[in-house]
């Protein structure tokens, strides 16, 4: 909880602003969510953040819904709803207006250039997500090994990711990690 | 309209929109998705709004948006409540730790897959930009806005200059 001010407003302004900078989707925004939730506001511990990411990967629906979990930890159900809407609605409305605009005007080559320019940036952001989450989760050698094995398995095969997540859960449950 | 799917909504959404209901052709879908990918924010959520509004105007957009987000948000809220109550129980804690490790592994695999085209084309500038963002955000932990306000104009300028050179 924040010591002063309404936490709902903090959630709305934080995620509303963040969503406009989430170039490359939800995974790219994870480092910023971590910075705000763990380092700046102390809404969650390192461990809770890693758990929230795991739950959001395990659950149906867009992965961006990790914000629902962050919002809930700050201000229960109102927080969960406020964070979700703040993260999703502004950019959805932006997408709506831009798509209407593009339908009317003739196509230029600018969208292609901007898109090509954003690709390396969003990969860099996702790599940063992986690094930050790895630091929060891979506390011992076995955990690091599990992460490595899953990475290789997911890269080399077309296995459904859900099986790998479940395998990780079972290994953890069995006390291996 | 609920498009909730496990592991990746996109595949599921594409199947429902293009194959099952034939609301859009494959080309229309790709074009719409490219647009939503290039705009900020969660891609699939943007897609729901654009897609819905193409069919039925703003009301359709809002309906698709609510349909996509509503059920999973409720599920997530329920999970958050469960986690708040039972998150400290030892077996669950251990299980989640294992899932976390696997989730990070999956993310690494996605990042490496996305990097492959850059590595193959030996696109040095793109790789430097990528590493720069990784270092600034992942290692230095600088705020996203600050980093992107520098990186986006820089990247666009470089890309534009390179394309002009290729065209000339």
């Amino acid at each position: 909880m924040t010591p002063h001010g309404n936490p709902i407003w903090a959630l709305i302004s934080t995620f509303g602003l963040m969503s406009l900078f989430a170039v490359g989707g939800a995974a790219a925004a994870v480092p910023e969510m971590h910075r705000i939730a763990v380092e700046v506001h102390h809404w969650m511990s390192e461990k809770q953040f890693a758990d929230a990411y795991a739950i959001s990967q395990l659950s149906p629906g867009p992965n961006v819904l990790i914000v629902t979990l962050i919002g809930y930890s700050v201000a229960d159900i109102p927080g969960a709803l406020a964070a979700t809407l703040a993260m999703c609605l502004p950019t959805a409305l932006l997408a709506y207006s831009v798509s209407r605009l593009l339908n009317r005007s003739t196509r230029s080559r600018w969208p292609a250039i901007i898109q090509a320019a954003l690709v390396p940036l969003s990969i860099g952001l996702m790599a940063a997500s992986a690094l930050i989450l790895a630091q929060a989760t891979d506390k011992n050698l076995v955990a690091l090994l599990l992460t490595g094995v899953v990475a290789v398995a997911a890269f080399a095969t077309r296995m459904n990711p859900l099986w790998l997540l479940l395998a990780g859960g079972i290994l953890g449950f069995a006390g291996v990690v | 309209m609920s498009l909730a799917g496990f592991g990746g909504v996109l595949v599921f959404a594409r199947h429902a929109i293009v194959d099952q209901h034939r609301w859009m052709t494959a080309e229309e879908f790709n074009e719409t998705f490219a647009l939503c990918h290039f705009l900020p924010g969660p891609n699939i959520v943007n897609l729901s709004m654009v897609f819905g509004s193409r069919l039925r105007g703003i009301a359709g957009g809002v309906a698709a948006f609510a349909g996509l987000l509503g059920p999973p948000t409720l599920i997530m809220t329920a999970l958050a409540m469960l986690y708040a109550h039972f998150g400290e129980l030892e077996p669950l804690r251990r299980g989640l730790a294992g899932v976390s490790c696997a989730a990070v592994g999956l993310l690494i695999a996605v990042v490496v897959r996305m990097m492959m085209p850059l590595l193959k084309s030996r696109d040095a500038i793109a790789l430097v930009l990528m590493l720069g963002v990784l270092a600034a955000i992942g290692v230095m932990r600088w705020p996203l806005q600050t980093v992107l306000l520098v990186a986006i104009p820089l990247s666009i300028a470089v890309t534009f200059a390179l394309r002009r050179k290729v065209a000339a």
Side-chain angles (χ1 to χ4, degrees), chain A residues 19-26 62 64 84-99, chain B residues 3 9-10 13 17 24 29 32-54 60-62 64-66 68-69:
Chain A
S19 75
L20 295 176
F21 283 87
V23 182
V64 66
T84 310
L85 277 180
M87 187 74 196
C88 297
L89 196 56
T91 56
L93 291 175
L94 180 72
Y96 168 75
S97 7
V98 172
S99 94
Chain B
L3 298 176
V9 187
L10 178 64
I17 292 174
M24 278 181 164
F29 184 86
T32 310
F33 183 69
L35 171 73
C36 294
H37 195 88
F38 134 84
L39 291 170
N43 305 330
I44 190 73
V45 180
N46 290 349
L47 181 75
S48 74
M49 181 67 99
V50 174
F51 160 72
S53 63
R54 291 251 166 107
V62 172
F65 175 84
L68 178 79
L69 277 185

Side-chain angles (χ1 to χ4, degrees), chain A residues 32 35-36, chain B residues 136-137 140-149:
Chain A
E32 184 68 3
R35 197 181 68 85
I36 301 261
Chain B
I137 302 272
M140 308 302 294
R141 307 283 173 101
W142 288 337
L144 183 69
Q145 280 91 328
T146 319
V147 174
L148 286 184
L149 283 178

